[in-house]
Amino acid sequence: MKNLESLIKTYNDFPKKGIAFKDILGIIQDIEVFRELILKMSSSKIIKSSDAIISIEARGFIFGSAISLQASKPMLVARKPGKLPGELIKGNYFLEYGKSSLSIQKESLEKFSSYAIVDDLLATGGTIECVADLIRKSGKDVCGLVTVVELMELEGRSRFNFPVESMLCI
Ligand code: AMP
């Protein structure tokens, strides 16, 4: 996609030594590229075949809510500890630079049958695997992952048995 890579800035040794952090926030400061990106993500077969999308805190929300409106799909959120009220289902995962957990509101997850996961970046795949496990544990289907960036050398997608659509592979 035009200009997408040029809007992503790399910060070495952030947030920890040895991590090349890809800052994708420049994308939402170029409204033409952002619009083109959202149209492309929204037209993905993975999104179209889903009943609803689940976006992941925090940068996943930026893309997820825009896709939700454009594709007319309801959106749920997977959030970090201590952020969501009500009854939750929770899973732990390992990141490229740490360990955390994600929760989804149980009542929301019960409303739909199949979900497309939306996030900003696929690195090791631990985060997405955690969300996919939560969806499946609830007896629901995972249609696939739609992400802005995929870090190919980490081979995150090899952990999944569902389709992945990345707007930029680097
Ligand atoms: P992972 O579970 O390793 O696939 O990591 C996924 C999440 O962590 C993404 O939602 C990113 O926001 C963040 N992340 C992991 N590695 C990087 C990186 N090198 N640059 C920017 N964000 C990253």
Side-chain angles (χ1 to χ4, degrees):
M1 181 178 295
K2 190 179 98 192
N3 280 340
L4 198 54
E5 190 160 6
S6 65
L7 296 171
I8 297 171
K9 205 168 158 187
T10 303
Y11 290 88
N12 289 320
D13 299 322
F14 179 87
K16 263 168 79 171
K17 203 164 170 45
I19 302 294
F21 187 85
K22 303 288 178 189
D23 180 8
I24 53 87
L25 295 175
I27 295 170
I28 56 173
Q29 288 146 26
D30 185 322
I31 202 65
E32 302 236 318
V33 173
F34 185 40
R35 184 178 294 115
E36 196 188 338
L37 177 72
I38 293 303
L39 291 176
K40 193 169 173 199
M41 291 175 91
S42 304
S43 67
S44 151
K45 272 190 196 152
I46 296 168
I47 300 288
K48 289 197 160 151
S49 65
S50 68
D51 292 337
I53 65 179
I54 295 190
S55 63
I56 304 174
E57 185 171 355
R59 287 175 295 264
F61 295 172
I62 297 169
F63 302 97
S65 55
I67 294 167
S68 166
L69 282 176
Q70 178 62 34
S72 292
K73 300 283 179 182
M75 186 176 88
L76 275 63
V77 294
R79 296 208 64 178
K80 289 167 187 163
K83 302 284 187 182
L84 283 174
E87 197 179 344
L88 307 177
I89 58 158
K90 181 180 159 195
N92 299 314
Y93 65 100
F94 289 91
L95 271 169
E96 201 186 352
Y97 43 76
K99 191 181 148 192
S100 191
S101 75
L102 283 169
S103 299
I104 302 172
Q105 286 174 318
K106 198 165 179 278
E107 203 178 84
S108 307
L109 204 47
E110 280 162 5
K111 288 186 188 161
F112 308 98
S113 301
S114 63
Y115 291 95
I117 304 171
V118 172
D119 206 2
D120 65 323
L121 182 140
L122 172 61
T124 65
T127 311
I128 304 300
E129 192 172 53
C130 171
V131 172
D133 286 347
L134 292 177
I135 296 169
R136 290 198 181 113
K137 256 202 300 201
S138 309
K140 309 293 181 174
D141 294 330
V142 178
C143 299
L145 165 71
V146 180
T147 183
V148 181
V149 180
E150 179 172 357
L151 303 182
M152 297 305 285
E153 67 177 20
L154 294 174
E155 297 178 350
R157 69 161 69 205
S158 67
R159 298 165 83 137
F160 314 141
N161 58 358
F162 47 78
V164 176
E165 234 183 278
S166 311
M167 300 300 112
L168 178 70
C169 295
I170 48 180

